């Protein structure tokens, strides 16, 4: 896979993360990129966006076999993710969508 999709994802997440921190400083999400799946023989890259406050995690996986799709799941940091991921066309992914995911998921049931 070209690193272009991963680079684009990183740029979009950086923009969304900056807005979230500005608007909801108490959330302070942590973003991580992992290529360890590749080391295990799975041709894919993964990104996690964690909210330490809520224990929630957004997982994004980019598979080489489907470069036009972004796989994502709303999960928890302390639980294994389910096998079922939602999909979104990579050309539909935007900074606004990532911002909305962080905003709605991390703030859901926030006291």
């Amino acid at each position: 896979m070209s690193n272009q999709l991963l680079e684009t994802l990183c740029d979009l997440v950086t923009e969304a993360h900056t807005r979230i921190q500005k608007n909801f400083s108490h959330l302070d999400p942590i973003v991580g990129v992992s290529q360890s799946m590749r080391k295990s023989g799975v041709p894919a890259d993964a990104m996690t966006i964690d909210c330490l406050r809520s224990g929630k995690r957004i997982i994004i996986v980019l598979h080489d076999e489907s470069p036009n799709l972004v796989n994502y799941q709303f999960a928890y940091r302390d639980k294994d993710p389910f096998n079922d991921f939602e999909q979104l066309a990579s050309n539909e992914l935007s900074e606004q969508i990532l911002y909305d995911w962080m905003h709605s998921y991390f703030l859901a049931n926030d006291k």
Side-chain angles (χ1 to χ4, degrees):
M1 169 200 272
S2 159
N3 284 332
Q4 184 61 44
L5 183 54
L6 182 58
E7 290 174 17
T8 299
L9 175 61
C10 288
D11 290 344
L12 294 173
V13 167
T14 297
E15 293 171 18
H17 182 264
T18 300
R19 281 183 55 207
I20 284 289
Q21 284 187 306
K22 179 180 176 188
N23 297 335
F24 305 97
S25 61
H26 66 285
L27 291 181
D28 196 25
I30 297 172
V31 178
V33 175
S34 173
Q35 295 185 311
S36 62
M37 293 172 68
R38 291 188 181 285
K39 295 174 186 170
S40 300
V42 177
D45 298 311
M47 174 180 282
T48 57
I49 307 169
D50 293 337
C51 180
L52 299 179
R53 174 185 169 111
S54 66
K56 295 178 180 179
R57 168 177 281 174
I58 299 170
I59 303 169
I60 302 170
V61 180
L62 307 175
H63 289 280
D64 290 2
E65 298 102 27
S66 52
N68 297 323
L69 293 175
V70 174
N71 299 279
Y72 66 95
Q73 184 178 121
F74 299 110
Y76 291 89
R77 294 180 58 239
D78 63 348
K79 297 178 184 172
D80 288 335
F82 296 108
N83 289 331
D84 296 329
F85 279 74
E86 299 291 326
Q87 293 184 328
L88 178 70
S90 57
N91 64 353
E92 293 179 15
L93 188 64
S94 67
E95 178 268 339
Q96 185 63 50
I97 286 173
L98 291 162
Y99 176 91
D100 291 343
W101 286 354
M102 285 186 263
H103 174 261
S104 63
Y105 186 54
F106 293 160
L107 284 174
N109 300 320
D110 191 30
K111 308 278 190 259

